[in-house]
Every structure is written in C-alpha cells, then in structure tokens.
Amino acid sequence: MPARDRPGQPAPSDPDAGVWQGRDVARRVVSPDGMTILVGRTAADNDVLSLKLAAPNDLWFHVAGGSGSHVVVRNPDGLVSLPRETKRLAASLAAGHSKARRGGRVAVHMARARDVSKRRGLAPGKVFLRRFDTVHANPVRAEDLEQEEQSEP
C-alpha cells in the first residue's frame, strides 16, 4: 500500500516541483541554464520552502530589508556558484515577488539554504541568516515569464 493511501501518512513531497506533503507551496520556474527555481507563495509556504524543502546546498534569495517571497534555486550538483543567468533570474524573482517590486533596482540577499534558520517565536516567513551576500536586480514576476513564453512563436 503506497504511503499516501495509508491513514495518517502524509502525502508525498516533491522538492523539485515545490510540493510539501501533497501541498503546492511554490511556483516553479526553469532558468535559462536549466536549473529549477522555486518561488514561495505565502509567508507560511516560505517557511516550508526554506526550512523543509530546500537542501543544504540550494541557494536562497530574498529582498533585503522588506517582505516578499523566499526564492530557492535547487542545486543537486552542489555547484559552488550559480550560472550568471540563473543567479540574475532568481534575484529578479525575489525582487519581483516583494513589496519593493516597483522600486527599480532592488537589493537582494543570497545565502546557502544551510545558512537559513528560524528562531523560536519568529512570525511566519521571518528567518535568520548566518551568512549572506547581497546582489542587485530588476524585479520580474513569474507570471511575466509565463506570458513571454506563451507569446514566443
């Protein structure tokens, strides 16, 4: 009997699809380099994405000093640094899915998922970063990318 058919068993998770225990917690985008980028939907989904679905070597992005979606780039090959276009797109998605999306070029924090943690009592979506770098990006929304793909011949 499969795990999801047993009473009391959680539904299966699929980190590459942004699914946690059968619940869709992230939008999925594929970068020009073929890497999977996941964009959290809500504050509670951001917690699941960043703390449960993300593997230690995945890269995590979030707009600096504001609220917005957590963005995770899956890194199954353990790359030391992301390809330039993937890094640029992930940072742009973090900026685009934030309250700073209308502010032009936006500062975005980038960290390894292993450096993202949650302290007891923090509100949903709030995390603590042990180490991070800051990059700057122009905001882009996942919906805009989908429209571009549909309009191409």
Side-chain angles (χ1 to χ4, degrees):
M1 182 182 263
R4 68 174 181 246
D5 294 338
R6 287 188 223 137
Q9 293 293 318
S13 297
D14 183 354
D16 289 327
V19 175
W20 174 254
Q21 296 183 346
R23 189 168 61 98
D24 188 16
V25 298
R27 295 170 190 86
R28 183 177 186 272
V29 175
V30 177
S31 78
D33 305 299
M35 298 185 80
T36 299
I37 302 174
L38 302 172
V39 181
R41 295 180 184 279
T42 67
D45 291 345
N46 284 340
D47 282 351
V48 172
L49 174 61
S50 299
L51 304 169
K52 306 235 185 253
L53 279 181
N57 281 329
D58 290 349
L59 276 294
W60 179 93
F61 294 80
H62 189 274
V63 67
S67 61
S69 291
H70 295 197
V71 175
V72 171
V73 178
R74 301 287 294 153
N75 186 16
D77 298 329
L79 300 175
V80 174
S81 63
L82 291 176
R84 179 180 296 157
E85 288 303 313
T86 297
K87 182 177 173 179
R88 183 177 297 148
L89 178 57
S92 292
L93 287 166
H97 288 272
S98 74
K99 290 190 176 176
R101 67 179 162 265
R102 288 178 177 69
R105 208 152 161 81
V106 176
V108 175
H109 290 321
M110 177 181 79
R112 292 274 173 194
R114 71 166 138 299
D115 293 324
V116 179
S117 61
K118 185 155 190 100
R119 293 184 173 161
R120 187 181 313 267
L122 281 179
K126 301 286 185 193
V127 294
F128 175 75
L129 301 178
R130 277 187 290 279
R131 268 183 293 254
F132 64 89
D133 290 321
T134 301
V135 296
H136 291 85
N138 292 315
V140 170
R141 293 189 56 88
E143 300 82 35
D144 298 338
L145 298 174
E146 292 166 7
Q147 289 173 357
E148 285 177 21
E149 288 174 5
Q150 291 171 1
S151 66
E152 290 179 4

